[in-house]
Amino acid sequence: MSKIISIANQKGGVGKTTTAINLAAGLAYEGKKVLLVDADPQANASSGLGIEIRDLERTVYECLIDEIDPKTAIVETGIERLKLIPSHIDLVGAEIEMRDLDKREERMKDMLNRVRDEFDYILIDCSPSLGLITINALTASDSVIIPVQCEFFALEGIAKLLNTIKIIKSNLNPGLQIEGFLLTMYDNRLRLSNQVYEEVKRHFGSLVFNTVIYRNVRLSEAPSHGLSVIDYDPQSKGAKNYKNLAKELILR
């Protein structure tokens, strides 16, 4: 049975989707069978893996709202052992449509339970909000990775996310754990990056991943080519960082 991990932070621009794509690829290259679920209406994880969104008939939206078989929405990514349930802009309206449904917070859990036996890891790329779709993702997950960018206001909003996790543990998913805090956009030449690193370490201790994701231009370029950074430039610092993160996650 797979381990389900949400990648969440309601603050945008922290490297959440970059982490979802490249950690999924890293795990696949470590020999793990991986399913990436794009639960963000912007569908950047889907397009970042070269999926043509306009051509899709079945996405995570149909799985959640129409309860179609999620196996029929899974697409190949071009990376062996890595598959994807893509997203679509229609997902924007899903929260309104789900409002009156029974067990509305558990729709994604029910969806993933139908496929989890087929994978080692299921990663969910959450939207930058704490709305119903993200609550669904956290309710379905065993753990959550929280990316934190090494910039001003890095810890802004984390208290709210941690409170949401606490509420979900109390009411919907008692087993939910924090897998770890992942420092992103790190530049060891900048005093600020080092200060943020020290502050996050002081607050969260062993919950912080040893692997740090350095600021790297190849990481920014790869999605425009529909590739993970590991495929785009395997020798880049970004590729090496995410390979190391995959290994660290497996060891955990």
Side-chain angles (χ1 to χ4, degrees):
M1 185 175 284
S2 58
K3 183 169 191 177
I4 302 177
I5 304 173
S6 281
I7 301 171
N9 190 331
Q10 79 272 22
K11 194 174 187 316
V14 300
K16 183 175 50 58
T17 298
T18 298
T19 294
I21 291 171
N22 293 299
L23 176 56
L27 289 167
Y29 282 118
E30 286 295 313
K32 303 299 181 183
K33 289 186 285 186
V34 185
L35 176 66
L36 176 58
V37 179
D38 190 349
D40 185 346
Q42 297 176 80
N44 289 335
S46 303
S47 59
L49 282 169
I51 305 302
E52 185 53 68
I53 309 299
R54 290 169 296 183
D55 296 340
L56 298 171
E57 294 182 7
R58 298 187 166 206
T59 68
V60 70
Y61 171 85
E62 284 78 18
C63 295
L64 292 174
I65 301 302
D66 301 329
E67 295 185 290
I68 67 162
D69 186 344
K71 293 176 185 177
T72 66
I74 293 174
V75 298
E76 301 289 340
T77 64
I79 298 173
E80 191 178 357
R81 291 181 294 274
L82 172 57
K83 296 184 180 181
L84 170 78
I85 296 182
S87 186
H88 191 274
I89 191 65
D90 288 350
L91 197 60
V92 168
E95 300 206 0
I96 297 169
E97 295 179 62
M98 290 167 69
R99 216 172 268 170
D100 299 323
L101 298 176
D102 290 336
K103 295 185 176 180
R104 59 184 184 178
E105 298 91 353
E106 298 179 12
R107 307 279 286 193
M108 191 173 294
K109 180 180 179 180
D110 293 342
M111 173 187 110
L112 295 181
N113 279 342
R114 297 166 75 178
V115 296
R116 70 180 299 171
D117 288 342
E118 299 178 21
F119 298 94
D120 298 309
Y121 288 90
I122 297 176
L123 303 185
I124 308 172
D125 182 29
C126 298
S127 63
S129 75
L130 292 178
L132 188 53
I133 301 296
T134 298
I135 290 169
N136 260 263
L138 294 173
T139 301
S141 296
D142 299 305
S143 63
V144 55
I145 291 174
I146 304 171
V148 181
Q149 86 282 30
C150 292
E151 296 178 356
F152 277 120
F153 309 121
L155 299 180
E156 187 183 68
I158 285 183
K160 191 173 180 182
L161 175 58
L162 294 178
N163 189 53
T164 299
I165 291 170
K166 184 178 178 182
I167 291 168
I168 288 171
K169 280 184 65 123
S170 299
N171 298 298
L172 294 165
N173 183 4
L176 182 64
Q177 301 293 323
I178 294 174
E179 189 72 42
F181 292 84
L182 175 67
L183 288 154
T184 63
M185 305 179 195
Y186 180 74
D187 187 338
N188 60 356
R189 299 168 299 178
L190 299 179
R191 181 184 298 175
L192 176 62
S193 280
N194 292 301
Q195 287 173 340
V196 170
Y197 179 85
E198 293 301 328
E199 187 177 5
V200 174
K201 271 285 194 185
R202 187 169 64 251
H203 271 84
F204 303 112
S206 61
L207 284 175
V208 182
F209 282 101
N210 294 321
T211 303
V212 173
I213 308 302
Y214 280 73
R215 190 178 288 280
N216 179 244
V217 69
R218 294 305 205 197
L219 276 174
S220 304
E221 292 172 352
S224 65
H225 296 270
L227 297 170
S228 77
V229 72
I230 299 170
D231 295 288
Y232 180 61
D233 186 351
Q235 298 307 313
S236 67
K237 184 165 278 188
K240 291 174 181 175
N241 290 163
Y242 278 108
K243 286 177 189 173
N244 289 337
L245 179 63
K247 290 173 183 172
E248 184 176 352
L249 181 62
I250 291 167
L251 287 173
R252 283 192 172 200

